[in-house]
Amino acid sequence: ITAGSALRDPVAPRVTTVELSPQIAKLACQEFPLLNARLCEDENSHVVVEDGRMFFKSTRDTFDVVVGDLFVPWRAGVANLFTREHFTNVRRRLHAEGIFAQWLPLFQMDSEAFWGIAATFTEVFPNAWLAIGDFQPHNAAVALIGWKDSAGAPDWDVMEKRTTQLKNLRSNREAVLRSAEGLALFLVGPVASSLPNNVPVMTQNRPWLGDHAARIERMHPPPMFQGQVLVETLQKIASQVPPGRMRESVIAGQLLYQFCGIAESHGLESAGAWYDEHMKRKLPGVIATPRPNRWSWPFPRAAGRYLVRRALAEAGYERSVPRQRQQEQPQTGQDP
């Protein structure tokens, strides 16, 4: 399903999917074609049944973008996908301006595991940035993004061009990703300058995450890297973004991230009071949608509805309903 989404991108010429399990590949092709955009039938798609490490070690193909999906860190062999050698092999197979995004399930790892992967990643991609997958710090997934070009970094003009290309796609159900301002809300900042001291990197000879992640998972409760400690860490990373439009949107995104965390842990009333005190700028116009149920919904439901109402009010949106029809309709309590 993740790979199939790339086929909906109008500028993606070809998609290669690497899947370890032949059974999963067979089931995906036979039973889930509508969910994965008929990945196995598309002429622009190539499905390879192989270990991801072995694929990048042996292939001669090069790529514009490589995405490492979420891997359960304590599963046998998974730690090898976070080693310096694997990241180096991926970098070698990128085009000159290519990028690599490695997703990390913070709901399945502690801070030590995260920083170990981040330290290893930045040895290969010193310019790496961090991004969030959504605005749910109590169930967090983040991505480390690295550019093969040593001067690579998020570029506002590139983001505006890409969001314009994707804006009117029927398959794009993420309203926030229809403008550069909205996309920047998901960016956090450069990682290298925020690394703790003496973090051991992961190598093929010492993929220490495998044993470490298994011990953490067996704790009750496991100390996963999420919630308030994650919010504070991301804000520290965001503070490293240079002044300008990018920084303004990144900081706004982190405030929304903290707002959603407060809503989840202390309730919407407390979160609303915090929002009134700390949010000093208008919400991006893309959040002001009168049909939020059509989103893929990056926010926790209650917090998201609150933000949609605020954005609609800031945009001066007024719901126009004929008086006679309004009297006939029962009060459903639904949001705009």
Side-chain angles (χ1 to χ4, degrees):
I1 294 171
T2 303
S5 66
L7 288 173
R8 300 184 174 101
D9 188 333
V11 300
R14 185 170 175 79
V15 176
T16 298
T17 307
V18 183
E19 167 57 48
L20 176 64
S21 167
Q23 292 88 353
I24 291 295
K26 182 177 179 180
L27 281 170
C29 294
Q30 294 181 351
E31 305 297 334
F32 300 98
L34 297 180
L35 295 177
N36 59 43
R38 299 192 180 278
L39 184 75
C40 303
E41 305 168 21
D42 196 293
E43 62 180 9
N44 296 320
S45 169
H46 179 45
V47 178
V48 180
V49 177
E50 180 58 277
D51 177 275
R53 244 177 1 115
M54 296 300 101
F55 175 82
F56 281 102
K57 191 173 183 179
S58 60
T59 185
R60 295 185 179 182
D61 293 338
T62 54
F63 304 92
D64 296 306
V65 178
V66 175
V67 178
D69 209 350
L70 294 172
F71 311 127
V72 180
W74 56 81
R75 294 266 175 88
V78 167
N80 292 318
L81 291 167
F82 298 121
T83 58
R84 180 171 55 199
E85 290 83 355
H86 176 60
F87 291 157
T88 299
N89 286 333
V90 172
R91 189 176 188 276
R92 286 173 180 160
R93 305 323 304 166
L94 290 173
H95 288 154
E97 297 181 353
I99 62 174
F100 174 36
Q102 176 61 66
W103 285 98
L104 303 177
L106 298 189
F107 50 84
Q108 293 175 335
M109 61 178 63
D110 67 344
S111 60
E112 185 175 348
F114 166 77
W115 287 119
I117 297 171
T120 307
F121 194 89
T122 54
E123 277 208 355
V124 181
F125 297 95
N127 52 14
W129 271 53
L130 193 68
I132 56 175
D134 53 36
F135 295 84
Q136 301 188 46
H138 292 279
N139 191 37
V142 299
L144 288 165
I145 304 173
W147 287 257
K148 184 168 185 176
D149 182 353
S150 59
D155 182 275
W156 193 270
D157 292 336
V158 171
M159 289 164 56
E160 283 191 329
K161 179 181 178 180
R162 290 292 287 131
T163 52
T164 298
Q165 290 171 334
L166 302 175
K167 183 176 181 179
N168 295 320
L169 286 184
R170 293 184 62 186
S171 59
N172 183 5
R173 297 181 59 236
E174 192 64 89
V176 185
L177 300 184
R178 293 175 182 171
S179 72
E181 183 185 21
L183 175 58
L185 297 175
F186 289 81
L187 298 177
V188 181
V191 180
S193 58
S194 298
L195 289 172
N197 295 325
N198 303 318
V199 178
V201 302
M202 272 174 281
T203 65
Q204 258 181 213
N205 292 333
R206 190 169 181 264
W208 55 263
L209 177 65
D211 291 336
H212 175 82
R215 288 195 299 270
I216 295 300
E217 193 270 337
R218 287 194 294 267
M219 293 183 181
H220 298 285
M224 301 311 183
F225 190 31
Q226 50 190 2
Q228 183 58 29
V229 63
L230 174 61
V231 169
E232 294 172 359
T233 299
L234 297 189
Q235 289 180 347
K236 180 181 177 182
I237 295 173
S239 69
Q240 306 299 312
V241 179
R245 287 184 296 179
M246 187 75 73
R247 178 184 173 88
E248 291 176 4
S249 289
V250 165
I251 296 300
Q254 287 308 299
L255 289 173
L256 292 179
Y257 200 72
Q258 185 170 1
F259 163 79
C260 291
I262 295 171
E264 286 185 285
S265 58
H266 299 290
L268 198 56
E269 184 175 348
S270 296
W274 180 93
Y275 183 100
D276 290 336
E277 181 180 354
H278 293 88
M279 199 68 179
K280 305 302 182 183
R281 57 172 288 175
K282 286 187 176 182
L283 290 163
V286 289
I287 297 180
T289 172
R291 296 179 176 179
N293 287 336
R294 295 187 178 183
W295 284 12
S296 64
W297 208 254
F299 305 103
R301 185 161 298 277
R305 286 175 171 169
Y306 177 94
L307 293 174
V308 168
R309 289 195 295 268
R310 295 288 297 244
L312 288 170
E314 291 173 358
Y317 176 87
E318 293 183 4
R319 196 171 191 180
S320 178
V321 180
R323 180 174 299 178
Q324 182 178 0
R325 183 182 174 190
Q326 189 177 29
Q327 292 173 347
E328 293 172 354
Q329 291 180 334
Q331 295 295 320
T332 63
Q334 293 180 346
D335 293 297

